[in-house]
């Protein structure tokens, strides 16, 4: 079984998508980036074009333990408007597999009916577009199988949290050390 499915749509936030892929692969987790279109090239919100590992039609969602929605605009809106992505989120949730989103990505989870009032976080201002209310002022929020994070600068923290959730606290600490995260205290 693979560990994480990362959905990419035109206009995705590069930091949020690629940081998660990088951090999880450092922990030897199996991660696939998946274009929701029929082509593998996907252009990010800041003009960076990446080559996804697979197109949506090439995957079997049953092969993954978790799915991830990066933010960015119009990327998150493009994912929110994709019926296949919403269906996938509901299947993962129904099977109590991990459903993860960051920044504007929680709007996808909101559209799928997966968020609960006060039990999520998102980029400040995104909550105005959601049906649910009262996001937490937190870097990362874990609510059962739903995991949300606030935004770009916090992507590395989300990545380390996902290593903890998918592997172990010890592996997350090892990855954090390798990334020099403990050193940040000196500089902030």
């Amino acid at each position: 079984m693979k560990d994480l499915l990362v959905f990419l749509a035109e206009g995705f936030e590069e930091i949020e998508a690629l940081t998660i892929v990088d951090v999880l692969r450092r922990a030897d987790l199996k991660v696939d980036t998946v274009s929701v279109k029929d082509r593998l090239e996907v252009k990010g919100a800041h003009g960076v074009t990446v080559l996804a590992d697979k197109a949506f039609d090439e995957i079997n969602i049953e092969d993954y333990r978790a799915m991830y929605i990066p933010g960015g605009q119009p990327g998150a809106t493009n994912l929110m408007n994709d019926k296949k992505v919403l269906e996938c989120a509901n299947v993962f949730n129904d099977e109590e597999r991990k459903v993860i989103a960051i920044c504007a990505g929680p709007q996808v989870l909101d559209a799928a009916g997966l968020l609960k009032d006060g039990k999520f976080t998102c980029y400040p201002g995104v909550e105005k577009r959601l049906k649910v209310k009262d996001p937490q002022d937190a870097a990362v929020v874990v609510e059962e199988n739903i995991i949300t994070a606030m935004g770009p600068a916090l992507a590395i923290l989300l990545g380390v949290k996902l290593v903890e959730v998918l592997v172990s606290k010890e592996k997350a600490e090892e990855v954090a050390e390798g990334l020099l995260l403990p050193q940040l205290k000196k500089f902030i």
Side-chain angles (χ1 to χ4, degrees):
M1 178 162 276
K2 295 184 179 187
D3 298 296
L4 186 68
L5 170 62
V6 177
F7 285 114
L8 299 178
E10 293 292 315
F12 71 93
E13 172 56 58
E14 295 93 339
I15 290 172
E16 295 164 356
L18 301 178
T19 298
I20 297 303
V21 173
D22 180 280
V23 172
L24 270 63
R25 286 183 179 173
R26 286 172 189 260
D28 298 319
L29 292 168
K30 294 177 183 147
V31 180
D32 282 336
T33 56
V34 176
S35 170
V36 296
K37 297 297 180 190
D38 57 1
R39 64 185 184 286
L40 296 180
E41 285 187 352
V42 187
K43 190 173 189 176
H46 301 97
V48 177
T49 300
V50 300
L51 190 63
D53 298 312
K54 299 179 182 228
F56 192 94
D57 293 338
E58 297 175 323
I59 63 164
N60 177 354
I61 63 169
E62 295 303 320
D63 292 343
Y64 298 88
R65 297 194 299 147
M67 63 169 278
Y68 174 60
I69 304 289
Q73 288 298 348
T77 298
N78 290 336
L79 292 174
M80 181 181 72
N81 292 329
D82 190 308
K83 287 182 173 39
K84 295 183 296 188
V85 173
L86 295 178
E87 288 170 8
C88 186
N90 277 298
V91 167
F92 273 68
N93 187 61
D94 290 347
E95 296 176 359
E96 297 180 354
R97 291 187 274 163
K98 304 298 182 209
V99 181
I100 306 137
I102 191 171
C103 193
Q107 71 186 25
V108 178
L109 307 187
D110 185 59
L114 304 183
L115 293 182
K116 298 175 186 169
D117 289 342
K119 306 288 185 177
F120 71 98
T121 191
C122 61
Y123 192 87
V126 168
E127 73 278 1
K128 295 173 185 166
R129 300 190 300 251
L130 306 179
K131 291 176 235 145
V132 293
K133 304 293 177 221
D134 303 320
Q136 293 182 28
D137 185 21
V140 178
V141 173
V142 178
E143 176 62 25
E144 298 175 4
N145 65 309
I146 305 294
I147 302 171
T148 54
M150 194 176 276
L154 303 165
I156 201 162
L157 296 178
L158 174 60
V160 171
K161 184 61 166 181
L162 294 179
V163 172
E164 179 183 328
V165 167
L166 295 171
V167 182
S168 68
K169 186 172 181 77
E170 294 76 24
K171 187 65 170 180
E173 289 171 356
E174 176 187 317
V175 171
E177 287 284 333
L179 293 167
L180 300 180
L181 280 180
Q183 301 298 317
L184 283 177
K185 294 176 186 172
K186 287 193 232 178
F187 303 104
I188 298 178

